Amino acid sequence: MVLNNIEKLLEKYENGETTLQEEQQLKSYFSQETVAPHLEVYKPIFAYFLVNEKEQFTKDVPLKTKRTFNYTWISVAAVAVLFFGFYFGSPFSQEPSKEEQQMAFNQFKEAMQMVSSNLNKGTSSIGYLESIGKGTESVNYLDELNNPIQRIFK
Amino acid sequence: MTQPQIMTQTEFLHIVMPFKDKVFRLAKRLLVSREEAEDATQEVLLKLWNNKTKMSEYKNVEAFSMTMTKNFCLDKLKSKQAQNLKIVHSNYQDHNVSVQKQVELNDSLDWVGRIIEDLPEQQKMVIQLRDIEQYDYDEIAKMLDMNPTAIRVALSRARKTIREKLTNTHSYGIK
């Protein structure tokens, strides 16, 4: 590019009148190895701009997915539970067969027998209450105390 | 039955991907420290994500995000004005120049960075959005809530200041 042209562009540039395209021309002129000596000062300026265009943001952004995400999964879970209930719930609503009734009765009987036999065991362990009766007998000597008292009253 | 459209992470990242670096670079231009700029970028992107249901209402998500970044960083600066910020300079490579020249260039690029750092915030942002991100004036006007004339004035001041200060520090022979 003609030097004269560059000087004109620089003047426009410093007045804030250049277009983006003209600024691009300046950048490419000053990225050459050698530039006109009296314009040397502009070289690091445009080099600085070019270098800084390339700097990148390298950190991650921790994007938290909230609310919307949870609601979707909660509704999915709710539907799953409902279907589970419909599917496995139906057998219980049917009338039990006679065998099942008999089996249930037998189980109930067995259970009640177990309860009663255990109750009997329980009562035997309450036998120690008799010894309390013995205790009360030995307190009977207190009656003898009454004898002297009666004597005094006589 | 109309169902509200739920934006997935992938869709969101697809929208955000083209300008996340620009958000980061604007944040770094204002906050200087790389770590703080990264935190600010995360913050801005998370805010966008949390408001993703409204995202379709924004005409220009990119411009909206840049405005959000600007506001977030300026608030941050205001709240810690007294504190000193760490200066972190960017790494860069240029394969075509000799080592000696690269060292010199390194040095002068650092100077440019430091000069921009000393500019008023508005001029910093204008330089960042125009000379680095190459937005047109209408877009910058939207992002910074300024009129195009004010942007040109700020840009002109900033460009002249950078050149003058760089001439002084390096005593480049101009004319």
Side-chain angles (χ1 to χ4, degrees):
Chain A
M1 189 172 284
V2 194
L3 192 61
N4 200 16
N5 202 347
I6 291 294
E7 282 169 347
K8 267 184 198 160
L9 276 186
L10 279 174
E11 205 188 318
K12 272 177 83 180
Y13 170 77
E14 290 200 340
N15 289 327
E17 289 160 356
T18 38
T19 63
L20 283 170
Q21 211 182 357
E22 288 167 334
E23 284 160 24
Q24 212 52 50
Q25 284 173 14
L26 285 172
K27 277 179 189 170
S28 68
Y29 173 79
F30 285 102
S31 57
Q32 295 173 62
E33 187 90 14
T34 45
V35 300
H38 67 285
L39 300 179
E40 192 76 23
V41 70
Y42 290 101
K43 217 181 153 181
I45 298 176
F46 289 104
Y48 180 86
F49 293 154
L50 285 172
V51 163
N52 275 264
E53 281 170 24
K54 292 178 188 113
E55 200 170 4
Q56 284 178 333
F57 175 68
T58 48
K59 263 188 143 185
D60 284 335
V61 188
L63 297 179
K64 280 177 213 133
T65 40
K66 20 176 232 182
R67 272 172 271 146
T68 44
F69 180 83
N70 283 342
Y71 282 142
T72 7
W73 283 106
I74 285 170
S75 58
V76 167
V79 167
V81 165
L82 274 177
F83 273 106
F84 189 83
F86 283 134
Y87 186 76
F88 288 97
S90 43
F92 294 120
S93 59
Q94 286 168 356
E95 272 287 298
S97 66
K98 277 197 173 169
E99 281 171 38
E100 280 173 335
Q101 282 178 351
Q102 187 60 43
M103 220 166 73
F105 176 72
N106 287 341
Q107 276 177 354
F108 178 73
K109 219 165 90 179
E110 236 173 81
M112 290 318 281
Q113 274 167 352
M114 212 162 77
V115 167
S116 70
S117 69
N118 278 331
L119 266 179
N120 288 338
K121 267 186 222 160
T123 52
S124 68
S125 64
I126 310 175
Y128 71 90
L129 282 173
E130 285 170 26
S131 60
I132 293 178
K134 277 178 203 158
T136 51
E137 272 170 42
S138 62
V139 191
N140 281 345
Y141 71 88
L142 282 174
D143 289 342
E144 286 169 29
L145 275 178
N146 288 337
N147 293 343
I149 294 170
Q150 282 167 347
R151 267 181 235 149
I152 293 168
F153 282 122
K154 268 180 191 171
Chain B
M1 197 172 86
T2 50
Q3 217 174 354
Q5 222 178 347
I6 297 155
M7 192 186 283
T8 65
Q9 286 191 23
T10 333
E11 284 169 327
F12 176 77
L13 289 175
H14 191 74
I15 294 171
V16 154
M17 206 50 89
F19 63 82
K20 68 163 176 50
D21 291 335
K22 295 177 186 177
V23 165
F24 170 65
R25 291 189 290 248
L26 178 62
K28 195 169 168 236
R29 178 65 56 210
L30 289 167
L31 300 173
V32 181
S33 136
R34 185 184 184 94
E35 296 93 83
E36 283 189 60
E38 280 169 347
D39 289 348
T41 309
Q42 281 187 332
E43 204 71 35
V44 167
L45 294 180
L46 277 179
K47 269 187 197 170
L48 273 181
W49 171 249
N50 290 334
N51 290 309
K52 58 184 180 296
T53 42
K54 288 184 217 148
M55 217 143 109
S56 51
E57 292 167 25
Y58 307 142
K59 281 179 199 148
N60 187 339
V61 183
E62 181 169 337
F64 178 79
S65 308
M66 295 303 269
T67 309
M68 225 161 87
T69 310
K70 177 203 84 175
N71 291 337
F72 182 85
C73 293
L74 291 184
D75 282 351
K76 192 117 206 228
L77 286 176
K78 228 181 265 172
S79 72
K80 51 182 286 175
Q81 235 164 4
Q83 274 178 286
N84 278 327
L85 297 172
K86 205 164 82 186
I87 299 165
V88 182
H89 295 287
S90 55
N91 297 318
Y92 62 90
Q93 302 108 15
D94 192 342
H95 301 292
N96 296 324
V97 282
S98 67
V99 177
Q100 181 56 39
K101 264 215 150 174
Q102 200 176 343
V103 171
E104 279 171 30
L105 205 58
N106 243 327
D107 194 40
S108 45
L109 287 203
D110 281 353
W111 271 112
V112 176
R114 260 172 259 178
I115 292 166
I116 295 175
E117 216 175 285
D118 285 339
L119 292 174
E121 257 115 40
Q122 203 182 57
Q123 290 185 26
K124 269 186 216 180
M125 290 191 286
V126 166
I127 283 283
Q128 179 68 30
L129 296 177
R130 179 68 182 193
D131 281 338
I132 292 167
E133 308 299 356
Q134 298 156 58
Y135 284 116
D136 62 44
Y137 287 120
D138 288 341
E139 285 174 306
I140 299 173
K142 232 180 282 163
M143 289 169 189
L144 301 186
D145 194 23
M146 288 165 73
N147 67 60
T149 317
I151 292 167
R152 277 167 207 270
V153 171
L155 200 53
S156 169
R157 277 195 195 134
R159 284 167 174 174
K160 281 176 181 162
T161 308
I162 295 168
R163 194 249 302 144
E164 280 161 14
K165 282 199 175 175
L166 197 62
T167 310
N168 292 339
T169 35
H170 271 210
S171 51
Y172 281 105
I174 289 199
K175 281 167 193 173

